Amino acid sequence: MPREQRLTEVFVEVADSLTDDFDLIDFLQQLSVRCMELLDVAAVGILLADQHDVLQTIAASDEHTRLLELFALQHDQGPCVDCYKSGQARTNIDLIDPKTTKSWPQFATRAHETGFVATNALPLRLRGRVIGALALFQTDPAPLSDQDITLAQALADIATIAILQQRTLDHSHIERAQLQYALTSRIVLEQVKGILAERWHISLDDAFTAFRSYARAHQRQLAQLAREIADGDFDTDLIPHPATRHPSGDPKAPGAVSRYPERPLP
């Protein structure tokens, strides 16, 4: 599909998001995948600041990115942290450069171990207000072009508009509550992904795909359905899911061989 057509679809999706009952988590998840496709990068993460100004991952193109970002944030370092605090984009960062390793030792080392060689961070901002960051990871050392950076910032702005919906910009306390609700919804969703993955003996990605497909097919919001499952009010046998298997590299699958060193996640 041509890049222009994919970009048009993104704007159609964001127009649909400007309604009272749109599914924020699902939209951001889809947007992260769109970013990966449009910018030809290996992985994408969308991060929001919580009530304590600590960045939390709310959407990612895959679980690989989520694990990396959680590790980076655990050490309070990395381009997204700097981007959020300064409000300025950090682009075409060479993760192998000794200067990068010195500035962010844990982040750079973990990123390189994961296979990434370059990264970018764009602020989620609107009218001078920064609420998070868009993270782009590359396995190709070729720098993003100025055109790609401009597009990446536009996609970050789209994410910001979808999150804030412009209705709460003049009411900071309401905005904070809205952001916190989104982050809390994501936490519940993560818990349910783990429940389904363990119950069905499949990977987190497969569990999320099955869960999301069911929600979309039945016009259910991800956060609402996740809460029902977490509370024991929904029969998960109603959700079609892949046959039991043990995918290599999934840390939650019984008998799987993890791609990651054994380190505690927050």
Side-chain angles (χ1 to χ4, degrees):
M1 185 185 300
R3 184 175 184 176
E4 292 78 8
Q5 184 176 346
R6 294 200 303 268
L7 186 58
T8 299
E9 291 183 356
V10 170
F11 281 103
V12 171
E13 288 166 357
V14 76
D16 290 340
S17 77
L18 299 178
T19 62
D20 291 335
D21 58 351
F22 91 108
D23 193 329
L24 176 62
I25 304 297
D26 185 61
F27 172 78
L28 294 177
Q29 176 71 25
Q30 182 66 19
L31 183 64
S32 67
V33 175
R34 294 290 193 188
C35 290
M36 185 176 64
E37 296 171 348
L38 288 164
L39 299 168
D40 195 23
V41 295
V44 175
I46 299 175
L47 299 91
L48 287 181
D50 64 16
Q51 292 178 326
H52 304 288
D53 283 331
V54 177
L55 289 176
Q56 306 287 348
T57 303
I58 191 170
S61 56
D62 55 49
E63 290 299 314
H64 208 190
T65 307
R66 186 182 70 85
L67 291 174
L68 175 62
E69 282 299 315
L70 287 175
F71 179 85
L73 297 174
Q74 182 179 3
H75 294 277
D76 192 31
Q77 64 176 250
C80 284
V81 176
D82 286 7
C83 175
Y84 171 68
K85 291 181 177 179
S86 68
Q88 301 298 317
R90 300 298 306 273
T91 59
N92 293 322
I93 299 170
D94 183 354
L95 292 170
I96 306 176
D97 189 322
K99 293 182 180 179
T100 303
T101 304
K102 183 178 180 180
S103 299
W104 308 316
Q106 292 90 351
F107 174 83
T109 299
R110 185 54 180 264
H112 189 250
E113 290 174 352
T114 310
F116 297 125
V117 297
T119 186
N120 305 265
L122 293 305
L124 300 185
R125 64 189 179 197
L126 188 63
R127 299 177 186 172
R129 184 170 300 174
V130 181
I131 63 171
L134 173 70
L136 312 174
F137 296 97
Q138 299 171 249
T139 54
D140 183 351
L144 296 182
S145 67
D146 291 342
Q147 182 180 11
D148 284 336
I149 296 299
T150 299
L151 176 56
Q153 186 59 65
L155 293 169
D157 293 342
I158 286 174
T160 307
I161 292 172
I163 294 166
L164 298 181
Q165 295 191 66
Q166 296 184 324
R167 296 175 304 184
T168 61
L169 292 178
D170 297 326
H171 305 281
S172 59
H173 64 288
I174 299 177
E175 176 191 316
R176 279 294 183 181
Q178 184 180 8
L179 296 181
Q180 191 60 39
Y181 176 80
L183 290 170
T184 301
S185 297
R186 179 67 193 191
I187 291 171
V188 175
L189 183 57
E190 290 298 319
Q191 293 172 343
V192 168
K193 284 166 56 179
I195 291 171
L196 297 179
E198 183 176 359
R199 183 172 298 172
W200 297 336
H201 301 298
I202 60 177
S203 72
L204 289 170
D205 279 339
D206 286 344
F208 179 70
T209 297
F211 170 81
R212 184 177 180 224
S213 296
Y214 179 88
R216 283 193 157 195
H218 293 80
Q219 298 182 332
R220 298 292 306 278
Q221 289 199 6
L222 298 184
Q224 181 183 17
L225 182 58
R227 284 188 171 85
E228 290 181 15
I229 293 175
D231 293 339
D233 296 331
F234 181 85
D235 183 3
T236 57
D237 288 339
L238 296 174
I239 303 177
H241 56 273
T244 300
R245 57 193 178 92
H246 305 280
S248 176
D250 176 20
K252 286 189 175 294
V257 178
S258 176
R259 295 175 296 178
Y260 303 99
E262 291 297 327
R263 300 181 185 180
L265 291 174

